[in-house]
Amino acid sequence: MSGADMWTLAVIVGLAVVTVVARSFFFISDTAWQLPRWAQRGLQFAPIAALSAVVVPEVVMSHGALITTWQDARLFAAAAGVAVYVAKRNVLLTIVLGMAVYLPMHLGLGW
């Protein structure tokens, strides 16, 4: 093996060790402990923050730049999805309606 291969292998093994130790940290301790209230409250918002970080740029950007036209099916599909979610609070219905708006506009109109 060359020096670069050994270095790569050492980095992979090191990252694996750090991951295992970090994930098993809670099992190593014999005493039960609780996160502070502010951390528990912050973790409640983690899923929506992660989802927003993935979805919002995909809706409002194209090829790394903000969308400059209203002729984009993603905008209308996102608006329809938000409206149905606010009205019904049903995630499956939100996805179905969003795709029902997106696909005809994207495939039919070419937006």
Side-chain angles (χ1 to χ4, degrees):
M1 281 186 142
S2 69
D5 290 339
M6 288 302 291
W7 177 249
T8 302
L9 182 62
V11 168
I12 291 170
V13 169
L15 288 172
V17 168
V18 168
T19 301
V20 168
V21 169
R23 290 180 181 244
S24 65
F25 178 74
F26 300 104
F27 300 117
I28 294 172
S29 176
D30 288 337
T31 60
W33 61 284
Q34 193 171 3
L35 285 174
R37 179 74 183 127
W38 60 268
Q40 289 177 354
R41 184 158 157 60
L43 286 174
Q44 291 175 347
F45 298 103
I48 192 67
L51 185 62
S52 297
V54 172
V55 171
V56 171
E58 190 63 33
V59 170
V60 299
M61 297 181 79
S62 179
H63 302 291
L66 288 174
I67 297 172
T68 58
T69 180
W70 284 100
Q71 292 183 332
D72 195 313
R74 294 176 296 178
L75 297 174
F76 293 98
V82 167
V84 76
Y85 183 77
V86 168
K88 300 290 184 180
R89 300 278 188 219
N90 185 328
V91 175
L92 181 60
L93 187 61
T94 301
I95 294 169
V96 169
L97 183 70
M99 290 307 293
V101 170
Y102 175 77
L103 284 175
M105 293 180 90
H106 182 69
L107 297 175
L109 298 175
W111 289 4

